[in-house]
Amino acid sequence: MAEKILMKGNEAIAYSAIRNGVDGYFGYPITPQSEVMETLMAEKPWETTGMVVLQAESETASINMVYGGACCGKKVMTSSSSPGISLMCEGLSYMAGAELPCLVVNVVRGGPGLGTIQPGQGDYYQIVKGGGHGDYRCVVLSPASAQDMYDFVDKAFDLAFKYRCPAVILADGVIGQMMEKVEIHATKPRRTDEEIERTCPWATVGKRADRPRNIITSLALESDVQEATNLRLQAKYRKMEEEDVLYSTYMTEDAEYLFVAYGCMSRIVETTVDMLRENGIKAGLLRPITLFPFPTKQIQALVPQIKSAMSIELSAGQMVDDVRLAVNGAVPVGFYGRLGGNICTPQEIFDAFKKFNNLQ
C-alpha cells in the first residue's frame, strides 16, 4: 500500500525528485517556491541516493549548472519563481538549441517586476511561448494539486528525455503553498553510467575509442546549419503536438458553454460549473495539463456543441489567446481574471460568465 503524507506542493516536488532518481538539483531561494530547496536540504539525499543538492550563487548560475549536468546525460533540475525564471531564460534558450533535457519548476508569483509573493499565472506567455530568444519551445506541464506536483516530476523528465528538450512545471503559488495528502510512489534508483551511455548516446561521458567524441553546443556560424537545426526543432515540436497533449474535462459531454482554465483556477472553475448546472445552464470545463503542447484539437472538437468559450486566469489574459486560436472565430471567447495575487472566486466567475453571455 502506497504511503500518503500531508505536504505542500513545493515539498512534493522535492520528495518526488529524490524518489524518481534525480541526479542533481541546483537552485536559489525565492518566495513562493523556497520550500523545494529547503526540503531537499533537510532530507539530505546525497547521503541516501547520491543526489547532488546545491544552492548556487544566483539563478543564472543555477541554470548553467543544469546545462552542465544535462550535457552528461544526467537527470538535473532547478526551481524558482517568476523573476528568477526571467534570469534563467537565456540558459533555457541555450539548452533548447543544444537539445538538452532538464526540468525547471516555476512557482509563479504576481508581477510584473518584483511584484508580490502572492500567486499568479502571468508567466504563461513567457514559459509557453519560449521565454528566451529564438524559435524554441519547452514541454510545459501545469499541476492543479500537490499530487500533480509529485507526479509531474517523473512525467516531465520522461518527456524531456524523449524529445531532448527542457521541460517546465508551471505551477501557480497556490499549488506550491497549499497542503494536501500526497501518495508517495516506489523509489526509482538513479541510472548507472552504463545506462546513461546506452540511452543517451549524445551525452558527453568522456573520451571513447569506439566513436567520435560528442560535442554539445547551440552555436552554428553557417546559416544553412542553423536553419537545419531550427527545422529539426520545429519537427520535434509538431511531434509533441501529435503525441503528447494532456488534458482533462469536467462535464463537457453535453456542455453548451465551455470554460478553459489551468492550475488552481481549474479547481475553482469546477465549482462554478456546478453552480451553473444547478441553475439549469449546461457548462463544462476543459483543463489543459500540457500548456505546450496545447490541447487545440480537443477544444476544436467541442466547438460544434458550444455557444461560447471563456478563459479564466490569474492574469490580464494570456492563455485566452490560445483559446481564441483554437476556436478560430467559430464562437465568442470571453475572459475573466484577477491580478496582483488576488484569486477569482466561483461567484465572481459565475457573474462574469452570465454578463459575457447576456444571461439573466
Side-chain angles (χ1 to χ4, degrees), residues 10-327:
N10 288 335
E11 294 168 340
I13 292 283
Y15 283 112
S16 184
I18 297 169
R19 293 293 184 105
N20 281 297
V22 172
D23 295 296
Y25 171 93
F26 310 96
Y28 192 78
I30 179 175
T31 306
Q33 68 77 49
S34 296
E35 291 89 352
V36 177
M37 184 164 60
E38 289 170 359
T39 303
L40 287 170
M41 290 294 188
E43 291 297 311
K44 300 180 180 179
W46 53 87
E47 296 180 353
T48 54
T49 71
M51 177 184 177
V52 173
V53 182
L54 180 65
Q55 178 177 326
E57 59 267 37
S58 68
E59 291 89 350
T60 304
S62 299
I63 195 64
N64 283 287
M65 290 177 181
V66 170
Y67 187 111
C71 285
C72 301
K74 300 290 187 177
K75 291 174 69 173
V76 287
M77 63 178 290
T78 186
S79 65
S80 190
S81 184
S82 307
I85 296 295
S86 295
L87 294 171
M88 295 184 183
C89 281
E90 180 187 32
L92 273 174
S93 178
Y94 281 19
M95 294 186 75
E99 296 185 81
L100 291 172
C102 72
L103 171 59
V104 175
V105 180
N106 182 5
V107 184
V108 183
R109 58 194 273 178
L114 287 175
T116 173
I117 63 173
Q118 305 304 320
Q121 294 181 333
D123 294 4
Y124 182 94
Y125 281 156
Q126 180 189 51
I127 298 301
V128 175
K129 306 303 181 183
H133 55 285
D135 291 302
Y136 80 92
R137 299 279 194 146
C138 300
V139 171
V140 184
L141 292 165
S142 174
S145 66
Q147 186 68 57
D148 283 350
M149 294 282 263
Y150 185 93
D151 294 340
F152 284 4
V153 171
D154 191 33
K155 182 63 176 177
F157 273 115
D158 284 347
L159 292 171
F161 277 88
K162 176 180 178 179
Y163 292 109
R164 282 185 60 189
C165 72
V168 179
I169 293 177
L170 187 66
D172 52 74
V174 172
I175 303 301
Q177 290 294 320
M178 71 187 305
M179 296 191 75
E180 294 183 305
K181 284 190 294 185
V182 175
E183 186 174 294
I184 304 297
H185 306 312
T187 300
K188 286 185 178 181
R190 289 174 57 217
R191 296 166 304 152
T192 64
D193 290 343
E194 291 75 18
E195 288 175 304
I196 292 173
E197 286 198 53
R198 186 179 70 254
T199 59
C200 304
W202 46 265
T204 54
V205 293
K207 188 176 181 180
R208 289 280 301 272
D210 59 340
R211 62 161 171 79
R213 62 178 179 169
N214 287 334
I215 299 174
I216 294 176
T217 181
S218 60
L219 176 66
L221 297 180
E222 296 182 17
S223 298
D224 288 345
V225 174
Q226 184 62 28
E227 184 177 49
T229 298
N230 272 277
L231 292 174
R232 184 174 64 252
L233 293 177
Q234 295 306 312
K236 182 191 300 185
Y237 304 147
R238 288 192 295 271
K239 185 178 180 182
M240 292 179 192
E241 292 174 319
E242 292 298 320
E243 297 184 4
D244 286 291
V245 175
L246 299 174
Y247 68 99
S248 65
T249 59
Y250 182 69
M251 293 191 176
T252 58
E253 293 81 3
D254 64 342
E256 297 177 354
Y257 300 92
L258 180 68
F259 288 103
V260 183
Y262 70 97
C264 72
M265 292 316 305
S266 64
R267 295 174 63 160
I268 294 171
V269 169
E270 283 189 13
T271 302
T272 301
V273 168
D274 292 339
M275 293 166 60
L276 289 167
R277 291 272 175 170
E278 290 170 2
N279 282 266
I281 299 171
K282 294 180 178 179
L285 164 69
L286 186 144
R287 171 201 162 201
I289 296 175
T290 49
L291 298 177
F292 184 82
F294 191 73
T296 299
K297 292 181 179 179
Q298 290 72 22
I299 294 174
Q300 289 173 342
L302 293 169
V303 166
Q305 73 184 61
I306 62 174
K307 300 176 182 177
S308 72
M310 195 168 193
S311 183
I312 310 298
E313 308 171 47
L314 296 182
S315 72
Q318 298 187 16
M319 183 180 68
V320 64
D321 288 349
D322 286 329
V323 178
R324 288 180 178 131
L325 288 170
V327 305

